[in-house]
Amino acid sequence: MALDAADLGPATALVCRECGEKYDLGPRYACEQCFGPLEISYDFAGVSREAIEAGPRNIWRYRGLLPVPSNVESTPNTEPGLTRLVRADHLAESLGMQRLWVKDDSGNPTHSFKDRVVAVALAAARELGFKVLACPSTGNLANAVAAAAARAGIRSAVFVPSDLEQQKIIVTAVYGGTFVTVRGNYDDVNRLASEIAGEQDDWAFVNVNVRPYYAEGSKTLGYEIAEQLGWRLPDQIVIPIASGSQLTKIDKAFQEFIKLGLVEDKPYKVFGAQATGCSPVAAAFKAGHDVVRPVKPATIAKSLAIGNPADGPYVLDVVRRTGGAIEDVSDAEVVEGIRLLAATEGIFGETAGGVTVACLRKLVSTGALDPEAETVIINSGDGLKTLDAVAPVVGPSAEIAPTLEDFRASGLA
């Protein structure tokens, strides 16, 4: 498709986040002047609470705020979004908090927030003429790309580290696309994907050559939180950090809603959560640095195991601007966080969710986060994807014979 014929809704240009250089919409992701990352600029029109509420019960209710065609909801896609916002009173009580909510994105089609970003990337990629949907991934993105491509009737090509959790490997492979495991960590896989993208002109690597469009999908988390809270912003929000894009885009969503008059302009604090075994952004924040030093990941939270996070510096900007903080927790604390969320709210989060809950507890205990202020935390994926993390520490309460006598003797009554 000729790029001037592409329908990308309210999107008007690509803008460098560093130097401000502008480019026409198209399949580019880095500035030619300074090599800074590009993001979408918009000309919003006709966006209102009423228009949004009248839309479909998925992310396409926000299509007037995304770089997608006006008819996006009529093309085959996984229709992610509008996941539940759970009032977490039991978890709040256990942590000594007043008002706490869990945005539970495990309810998406492939059970993680990645369905959001992939849906937006797919819609834009098709408008830009790509024929194959591809990605490097730590697991959840692989699941989402393979499923979205199958639903759209196009080929997928997915690349993951060979030591990925078995559950995520199976879930990706079942969709039947091209699936490659790579001997290396995520940063190795990502470098390889960038090289392949340079040779395969019709392959849309969602988080490489169409990354500016892909990243905008995370804004829908912020939009939904504000709408589900009754068109208002929370006082505080805790977000897991992998590449950092989810955190920066939720903040962007809040800012867009404020500028459009859809919510009241009020202060809010953004907090980040990392596993200690891959915590380059937390380390930079605590040291007062503006540069994020890459690390080699070593954590059970593989979905957050990005040692050189692309949006790390922008995460630091958002957190410092809003008066938040970035914390990190050990793998043992991650497992405790998973179990605490499950036991108090009946939500089985994956390791990234455990990171967020454990960091929330640490932020409260250190006084960095106000326990009396309304707080939202993100559970970005389903615990069934990371069973190995909790398998060693959970199991049956007892094993008994099929008799009433054995049940009584067990002391379980």
Side-chain angles (χ1 to χ4, degrees), residues 91 95 102 238 273 329 333 336-338 340-341 352-362 377-378:
L91 178 59
L95 298 176
V102 178
V238 185
V329 290
E333 290 173 300
E336 291 172 7
I338 293 171
L340 180 61
L341 180 60
V355 169
T356 305
V357 172
C359 283
L360 171 66
R361 179 161 57 183
K362 200 168 183 178
I377 64 173
I378 306 293

Side-chain angles (χ1 to χ4, degrees), residues 80-159:
L82 216 64
T83 54
R84 60 183 184 157
L85 183 67
V86 179
R87 177 73 180 256
D89 290 337
H90 300 303
L91 178 59
E93 182 179 3
S94 73
L95 298 176
M97 300 181 69
Q98 293 299 312
R99 280 192 298 170
L100 178 63
W101 302 84
V102 178
K103 180 58 171 169
D104 183 16
D105 242 27
S106 66
N108 276 309
T110 67
H111 308 289
S112 89
F113 89 97
K114 291 295 188 181
D115 290 311
R116 299 173 179 273
V117 289
V118 169
V120 174
L122 171 62
R126 296 180 82 166
E127 281 295 304
L128 297 173
F130 288 101
K131 304 301 181 185
V132 178
L133 198 67
C135 73
S137 173
T138 57
N140 285 327
L141 180 58
N143 299 169
V145 164
R151 173 69 179 133
I154 64 175
R155 180 186 171 193
S156 65
V158 170
F159 301 80

Side-chain angles (χ1 to χ4, degrees), residues 257-316:
F257 265 22
I258 289 170
K259 291 174 183 175
L260 289 167
L262 299 176
V263 297
E264 178 187 353
D265 187 356
K266 55 161 280 188
Y268 60 87
K269 294 183 178 182
V270 178
F271 296 84
Q274 291 200 292
T276 302
C278 187
S279 53
V281 189
F285 177 81
K286 292 176 182 181
H289 296 162
D290 295 326
V291 176
V292 176
R293 183 178 180 181
V295 301
K296 185 175 181 179
T299 174
I300 61 171
K302 294 186 185 299
S303 62
L304 303 182
I306 298 179
N308 188 17
D311 275 45
Y314 306 108
V315 167
L316 294 172

Side-chain angles (χ1 to χ4, degrees), residues 177-188:
T178 300
F179 182 35
V180 181
T181 58
V182 179
R183 291 185 297 275
N185 61 31
Y186 172 77
D187 296 297
D188 297 322

Side-chain angles (χ1 to χ4, degrees), residues 2 6 18 40 55 59 66 98 122 147 197 202 274 279 315 323 407:
E18 290 295 321
I40 310 292
I59 64 170
L66 297 169
Q98 293 299 312
L122 171 62
D202 62 349
Q274 291 200 292
S279 53
V315 167
F407 172 71

Side-chain angles (χ1 to χ4, degrees), residues 7-12 41-45 63-68:
D7 175 8
L8 292 170
T12 58
S41 67
Y42 297 93
D43 181 11
F44 296 131
R63 64 186 178 278
L65 298 161
L66 297 169
V68 296

